């Protein structure tokens, strides 16, 4: 098993990517290169940065990739709000995905704090 595959955070992020892909399948066709593409890219970036960081040899590098992952989570959170306000996302789906982003963000923060303690 690869290092990132052992992380609950990474598995949660992968589930989130799948949820975003399924949600955006129903967006208007004119959003294919707009919000659909942006939301998918940002959600994939959350999981990909976790995986890339876990593969690094230094704690400092891992923490840097977790920071990038946190930024991508904030990006997709913003894009979710825009999609919701445009009427592309139902209230229930919006609340569920926002909760997922919040949970992932907290998990990233906890892992970063844990790594920082090990680095000291």
């Amino acid at each position: 098993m690869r290092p990132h595959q052992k992380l609950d955070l990474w598995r949660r992020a992968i589930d989130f990517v799948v949820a975003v892909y399924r949600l955006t399948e129903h967006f208007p066709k004119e959003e294919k290169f707009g919000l659909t593409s942006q939301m998918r890219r940002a959600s994939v970036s959350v999981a990909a940065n976790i995986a890339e960081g876990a593969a690094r040899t230094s704690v400092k590098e891992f923490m840097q990739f977790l920071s990038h992952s946190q930024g991508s989570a904030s990006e997709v959170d913003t894009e979710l709000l825009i999609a919701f306000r445009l009427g592309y996302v139902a209230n229930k789906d919006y609340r569920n995905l926002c909760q997922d982003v919040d949970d992932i963000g907290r998990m990233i923060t906890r892992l970063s704090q844990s790594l920082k303690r090990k680095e000291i």
Side-chain angles (χ1 to χ4, degrees):
M1 183 178 286
R2 294 176 180 86
H4 62 276
Q5 293 174 327
K6 298 174 186 174
L7 297 171
D8 290 336
L9 168 58
W10 177 79
R11 288 192 295 273
R12 182 78 184 265
I14 291 294
D15 290 342
F16 181 70
V17 172
V18 171
V20 167
Y21 266 74
R22 288 186 176 144
L23 176 79
T24 57
E25 284 175 356
H26 306 289
F27 280 16
K29 296 293 181 211
E30 63 267 15
E31 287 296 343
K32 181 177 181 180
F33 300 107
L35 275 175
T36 299
S37 176
Q38 284 294 108
M39 289 176 70
R40 287 177 174 189
R41 185 198 54 75
S43 65
V44 167
S45 184
V46 172
N49 276 298
I50 294 163
E52 189 168 353
R56 297 298 173 142
T57 57
S58 78
V59 169
K60 184 177 179 179
E61 284 182 298
F62 192 2
M63 288 174 56
Q64 182 178 358
F65 279 95
L66 289 175
S67 177
H68 294 308
S69 184
Q70 189 76 275
S72 294
S74 293
E75 180 182 343
V76 76
D77 182 60
T78 298
E79 292 157 355
L80 271 169
L81 175 61
I82 293 166
F84 174 69
R85 291 188 56 184
L86 289 170
Y88 301 159
V89 180
N91 190 40
K92 181 181 177 186
D93 293 330
Y94 175 70
R95 284 193 323 263
N96 289 340
L97 287 172
C98 283
Q99 184 63 57
D100 290 342
V101 170
D102 289 346
D103 292 346
I104 289 167
R106 280 192 294 278
M107 291 173 81
I108 292 169
T109 298
R110 283 194 305 269
L111 180 55
S112 295
Q113 289 169 343
S114 175
L115 290 171
K116 191 172 189 176
R117 284 191 296 272
K118 288 180 182 180
E119 188 181 47
I120 295 173

